C-alpha cells in the first residue's frame, strides 16, 4: 500500500510514528510543511521537517515535542554573550549541527529536497520525507499592535508573541510561485490513500495545499483527515488563533467544512465531538478517541484512518 501524508510539526510527527507502526509494510511518503522555515544566525532552520525527522528517527525531545533529546545550549549562551539575537527562538547545540549541515548544502547549491534526503540518511525515519517545495515559501502574519500594522514572520508571531496579538491575516509568501518539490506530485499520483494528520489546518496543512498543483492532486485521491481540534479547542498550541484569522470557527466540524468535501472523503473526530458522527455535507465522519497519549494510541488512530479510507475507497 502506498500512503501519502501531509505533515506539519508535532501533531504530524506523532501521528506519523503511529502510522508507521500501524502499517509497517506500507510505502509512506510524507510531504512536509516548509512555510515555518526561518533563517537565523545565517542558518536555514526547517522546524517542521526536523520535528518529523527527529521524531521518527528517535532523536526528539519527547516531553517538549520539538528539538533534540539530551540537548545542551553552549552556542546559545555564547550568542547571548555577544548580544546577538533573536533570543526568543531556542536552538540547542545538537540542533545547530543539523542547521549547519543544511545551510552548507544549500549554499553549495543543493535543493532542499536533496538536503532533506541527506539528513534523513542519518535519521532513517522509515518514511520518505519530502519538503512540499524546494522554493522558498514563508508564512507571514499581519498584526497590529502599539508598533503599528506590520507583517512579521510566522515564528515571531507564534514563538515570541505566543499568538497573543490577533492575526489580521496569514499569508504564505511565495506560495503561488512555488513548485512542488521533485517527487511530490508523483507520490500523490501513485498513492492509494492520502492522510491528513492532526496538523494545524492553516499554517501546516493549509500551507502545503497552497503550493500550486498539490491540492488537486490530493483531492483526486481517497483522503481521510484526523481532527486536531477536540471539543472546540486545539489539543496543544494556538491553532485557534490561526483559524480565527481566516474566519473559521475552532471546531472539528468547521475544520472539515473548511477543507471541504472536494478535498476530504473521511474525517476522524474525537468522541467529545461524536455529535458529528455520520455525514457532513458529503464527508464521512467517525468519532473515536483522538488523543495521541503514546505511540500505541497514535497507531490506533492511524489504523482507524486507514480503515475509513478502505471503506470509502472501495
Ligand atoms: P506544529 O507545526 O508543531 O504546530 O505541529 P502540527 O501543525 O503538525 O500540529 C499541531 C496540531 O496538533 C495542533 O493544532 C494540535 O491541536 C494537534 N495535536 C497535538 N497533539 C494532538 C493529539 O494528541 N491529538 C490530536 N487529535 N491532535 C493533536
Ligand atoms: Ca509548524
Amino acid at each position: 500500500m502506498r500512503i501519502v501524508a501531509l505533515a506539519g510539526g508535532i501533531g504530524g510527527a506523532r501521528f506519523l510514528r503511529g502510522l508507521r507502526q500501524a502499517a509497517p509494510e506500507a510505502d509512506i511518503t510524507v510531504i512536509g510543511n516548509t512555510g515555518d522555515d526561518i533563517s537565523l544566525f545565517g542558518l536555514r532552520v526547517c522546524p517542521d521537517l526536523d520535528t518529523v525527522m527527529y521524531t521518527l528517527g528517535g532523536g526528539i525531545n519527547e516531553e517538549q515535542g520539538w528539538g533534540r533529546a539530551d540537548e545542551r545550549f553552549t552556542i546559545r549562551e555564547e550568542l547571548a554573550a555577544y548580544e546577538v539575537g533573536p533570543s526568543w527562538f531556542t536552538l540547542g547545540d545538537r540542533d545547530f549541527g543539523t542547521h549547519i549541515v543544511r545551510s552548507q548544502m544549500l549554499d553549495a547549491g543543493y535543493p532542499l529536497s536533496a538536503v532533506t534526503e541527506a539528513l534523513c540518511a542519518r535519521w532513517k525515519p522509515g518514511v520518505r520525507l519530502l519538503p512540499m517545495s524546494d522554493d522558498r515559501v514563508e508564512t507571514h502574519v499581519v498584526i497590529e499592535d502599539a508598533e503599528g500594522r506590520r507583517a512579521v514572520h510566522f515564528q515571531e508571531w507564534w514563538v515570541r508573541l505566543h499568538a497573543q496579538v490577533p492575526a489580521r491575516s496569514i499569508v504564505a509568501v511565495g506560495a503561488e510561485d512555488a513548485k512542488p518539490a521533485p517527487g511530490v506530485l508523483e507520490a500523490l499520483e501513485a498513492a492509494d490513500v492520502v492522510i491528513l494528520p492532526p496538523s494545524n489546518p492553516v499554517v501546516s496543512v493549509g500551507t502545503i495545499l497552497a503550493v500550486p498543483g498539490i491540492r488537486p492532486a490530493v483531492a483526486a485521491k481517497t483522503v481521510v483527515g484526523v481532527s486536531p481540534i477536540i471539543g472546540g479547542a486545539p489539543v496543544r498550541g494556538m491553532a485557534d488563533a490561526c483559524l480565527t484569522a481566516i474566519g473559521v470557527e475552532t471546531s472539528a466540524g468547521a475544520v472539515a467544512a473548511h477543507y471541504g468535501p472536494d478535498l476530504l472523503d473521511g474525517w476522524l473526530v474525537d468522541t467529545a465531538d461524536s455529535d458529528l458522527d455520520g455525514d457532513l455535507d458529503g464527508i464521512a465522519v467517525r468519532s473515536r478517541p483522538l488523543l495521541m497519549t503514546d505511540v500505541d494510541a497514535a497507531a490506533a488512530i492511524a489504523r482507524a484512518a486507514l480503515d475509513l479510507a478502505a471503506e470509502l475507497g472501495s
Side-chain angles (χ1 to χ4, degrees), residues 8-12 48 198-200 204 227-228 230 234-236 239 290-292:
I10 301 178
D48 285 358
S199 284
N200 188 309
S204 293
S227 180
I230 295 182
V235 177
R236 64 182 283 170
L290 287 190
L291 279 181
M292 299 186 286

Side-chain angles (χ1 to χ4, degrees), residues 7-14 33 36 47-48 51 65-66 154 158 197-201 203-205 226-230 233-240 270 290-293 301:
I10 301 178
R14 289 192 171 160
N33 172 42
D36 294 17
D48 285 358
T51 296
W66 53 270
F154 169 74
W158 193 255
S199 284
N200 188 309
V203 296
S204 293
V205 178
V226 181
S227 180
I229 306 297
I230 295 182
V235 177
R236 64 182 283 170
M238 296 82 72
D240 47 332
D270 190 77
L290 287 190
L291 279 181
M292 299 186 286
T293 43
I301 297 168

Side-chain angles (χ1 to χ4, degrees), residues 78-92:
E78 290 297 310
L79 290 166
Y82 285 112
E83 294 181 31
V84 168
S87 56
W88 47 264
F89 201 91
T90 305
L91 293 174

Side-chain angles (χ1 to χ4, degrees), residues 262-287:
D262 62 311
L263 186 81
L264 271 188
D265 299 291
W267 185 236
L268 292 182
V269 301
D270 190 77
T271 42
D273 300 302
S274 59
D275 54 308
L276 295 170
D277 253 318
D279 177 84
L280 189 88
D281 295 326
I283 301 168
V285 180
R286 301 281 187 278
S287 63

Side-chain angles (χ1 to χ4, degrees), residues 5-193:
L6 313 189
I10 301 178
R14 289 192 171 160
F15 176 83
L16 290 168
R17 201 163 47 177
L19 179 64
R20 198 181 50 181
Q21 180 174 310
E25 305 299 320
D27 174 328
I28 303 173
T29 297
V30 177
I31 302 174
N33 172 42
T34 58
D36 294 17
D37 295 6
I38 186 167
S39 292
L40 296 167
F41 314 110
L43 301 173
R44 195 69 182 154
V45 180
C46 301
D48 285 358
L49 292 179
D50 289 349
T51 296
V52 170
M53 185 173 79
Y54 294 156
T55 302
L56 296 181
I60 199 77
N61 178 324
E62 269 310 321
E63 302 76 61
Q64 206 167 249
W66 53 270
R68 290 290 311 280
D70 186 29
E71 191 52 287
R72 56 201 78 170
F73 296 92
T74 312
I75 300 174
R76 183 184 163 86
E77 285 162 27
E78 290 297 310
L79 290 166
Y82 285 112
E83 294 181 31
V84 168
S87 56
W88 47 264
F89 201 91
T90 305
L91 293 174
D93 299 353
R94 292 183 188 281
D95 205 14
F96 262 110
T98 301
H99 311 316
I100 290 169
V101 174
R102 172 184 296 119
S103 303
Q104 187 166 277
M105 287 189 72
L106 289 172
D107 287 347
Y110 290 95
L112 183 61
S113 50
V115 176
T116 305
E117 190 180 345
L119 294 170
C120 285
R122 171 184 175 193
W123 290 101
K124 300 181 177 49
V127 300
R128 182 157 179 240
L129 178 60
L130 302 175
M132 65 191 198
S133 178
D134 280 335
D135 301 320
R136 194 150 161 169
V137 177
E138 250 176 32
T139 304
H140 288 196
V141 180
V142 178
I143 58 168
E144 195 165 345
D145 60 9
E147 291 169 49
R149 192 183 181 97
R150 64 193 198 284
V152 297
H153 191 287
F154 169 74
Q155 298 294 357
E156 184 170 359
W157 180 63
W158 193 255
V159 180
R160 184 171 83 84
L161 302 171
H162 305 288
Q164 298 286 8
V165 184
R168 297 302 170 104
S169 61
I170 298 178
V171 188
V173 179
E176 53 216 52
D177 300 318
K179 285 183 300 299
V184 165
L185 295 181
E186 293 81 351
L188 285 167
E189 170 74 29
D192 298 306
V193 50

